[in-house]
Amino acid sequence: MLGRSLPLRTGLRRPTALRFDSPFSTCGDRLSPFGDGTYSGNIMQNGVVLQPQHYLLDGFIPMPRCIVITGAATVAADETTGAAAFMCRNLVLVGAAATLSSSANCKGLFGFVRDRVAARNGAHLHMDKLGKAGNFGNVSPDMLLPAWYSRYLATDKLRAYVVKGRGAEGGAPTQSVSNQYATYGHGGNPAGPMQTGGGGSGCPTSCWTGAGGCGGPCCGGAGSGGGVYNNTPGAGDFGGPGGPAVTGGGAGAGGGAGDPVGAGSGCGPGEGAGGGLLGLFSPIIDIGNATIVSADGASGGRQPDAHGVRRSGGAAGGGCIIFVTSAGGYRSHGTVRAAGGISSSFGAGGDGGAGSVNIFELTE
């Protein structure tokens, strides 16, 4: 799963990154929201904790005490807060094999980098399918960091970046039309600023499928299951669980995406959770060509049944990305997205709603 991006349907409008002026400045402060460059010592690659080194970005930009990621790297969630976080002086991901994500579904991945974050040559920083379902209320990064982080960064200044406790609403229940297999589930609603997307509803045949669930602060909304002859329950709100498929007469249908996934019936379960919460705090965030930063939702279960019919479950919504930089510090020639999962291309389940990409620049 790590390092693979989800397919995007052609013809759909991609979510637009939203830009804001941040209410805070770092001038005159002992600590900043970017941290002081201390390395947290918890970025793992191939079972080894990565260590800082000197790195020349693009062959001429010196990056001292840089964490260099060239393979599949992860950060584990803190046992007390349920979120993953790291600090360092500089961070670079380079090459198509380079990925960085949380090691498992959690409440978010947060990076605090004093000088620069850079991604090059096909690298992928993500929280795809890694959201954590739950009605946690409004959430800001300071709420998800261990207390000792306050010695190295201005955690009080993170309180302004509030993710809405209730994400976008899920897709409406779907009724099949005249026993046709081509009935489409309804897509989840797209997110507003600082919000996750809603989950889609599953594909029905001679029945109703329940509604997709709303997103939570740390997870895109869950999808409901596909159905044949029997009505299906809706997905859980705030990211999960995904709705189970309900079938009869030997036909099959897929389960909804979510945390946890909905069970399939004669077809596969949902393919994962909604997109997670991803926050990067650094004066410079530099996303190069062909690189991806994403918090995409998963697709619903969609394997064909014995008759070759794909009655897929609903897909999960996209997550929430937060970038906080110095003025003019955000540069992207790659892809930054929080796309909803895709189910309609695979068997008529509703797609997940797009999440949000939120860019803040510190004002002096």
Side-chain angles (χ1 to χ4, degrees):
M1 180 182 73
L2 293 176
R4 297 181 60 189
S5 58
L6 298 177
L8 293 179
R9 293 177 63 196
T10 58
L12 289 180
R13 183 172 63 86
R14 292 190 181 185
T16 300
L18 307 169
R19 290 178 178 267
F20 310 89
D21 285 334
S22 172
F24 293 117
S25 167
T26 61
C27 288
D29 293 330
R30 183 178 65 86
L31 295 176
S32 92
F34 306 136
D36 67 355
T38 298
Y39 178 39
S40 52
N42 62 341
I43 301 177
M44 302 285 294
Q45 180 177 294
N46 298 325
V48 176
V49 176
L50 292 176
Q51 297 300 323
Q53 60 180 283
H54 187 80
Y55 185 81
L56 280 177
L57 179 66
D58 302 327
F60 68 95
I61 301 174
M63 298 177 70
R65 295 193 56 78
C66 183
I67 300 300
V68 180
I69 294 173
T70 58
T74 59
V75 180
D78 181 81
E79 293 181 357
T80 58
T81 68
F86 65 90
M87 298 181 297
C88 59
R89 173 85 177 267
N90 284 288
L91 174 71
V92 64
L93 293 85
V94 58
T99 65
L100 177 61
S101 69
S102 64
S103 59
N105 291 72
C106 68
K107 292 182 180 179
L109 172 64
F110 301 95
F112 303 92
V113 182
R114 196 191 85 172
D115 290 350
R116 182 190 298 259
V117 176
R120 294 290 188 271
N121 304 329
H124 189 189
L125 170 62
H126 75 94
M127 280 294 285
D128 296 345
K129 310 180 190 179
L130 287 170
K132 185 66 176 177
N135 183 7
F136 305 122
N138 292 347
V139 168
S140 56
D142 61 293
M143 300 167 60
L144 299 174
L145 298 178
W148 60 267
Y149 267 67
S150 63
R151 295 187 300 223
Y152 305 102
L153 61 91
T155 55
D156 59 316
K157 293 190 175 180
L158 307 179
R159 296 171 188 162
Y161 308 108
V162 178
V163 182
K164 295 177 182 177
R166 188 178 184 92
E169 297 303 313
T174 305
Q175 183 180 25
S176 61
V177 178
S178 302
N179 196 30
Q180 293 182 13
Y181 296 133
T183 302
Y184 277 67
H186 293 292
N189 287 287
M194 299 296 281
Q195 192 180 40
T196 62
S201 57
C203 171
T205 299
S206 299
C207 68
W208 282 86
T209 56
C214 72
C218 304
C219 189
S224 64
V228 185
Y229 305 130
N230 293 291
N231 296 342
T232 68
D237 279 332
F238 304 104
V246 179
T247 60
D259 177 40
V261 299
S265 178
C267 292
E271 296 187 354
L277 176 56
L278 173 61
L280 279 181
F281 296 75
S282 180
I284 298 175
I285 298 176
D286 184 359
I287 310 302
N289 290 328
T291 62
I292 299 173
V293 179
S294 60
D296 296 345
S299 298
R302 53 186 172 89
Q303 288 91 336
D305 66 9
H307 304 286
V309 177
R310 293 174 170 87
R311 304 175 185 90
S312 66
C320 179
I321 295 176
I322 305 168
F323 286 164
V324 179
T325 74
S326 294
Y330 173 65
R331 310 163 189 174
S332 178
H333 298 283
T335 299
V336 180
R337 68 178 188 234
I342 304 299
S343 281
S344 58
S345 296
F346 307 130
D351 294 338
S356 63
V357 176
N358 308 271
I359 301 166
F360 296 86
E361 295 185 341
L362 291 171
T363 55
E364 299 299 340

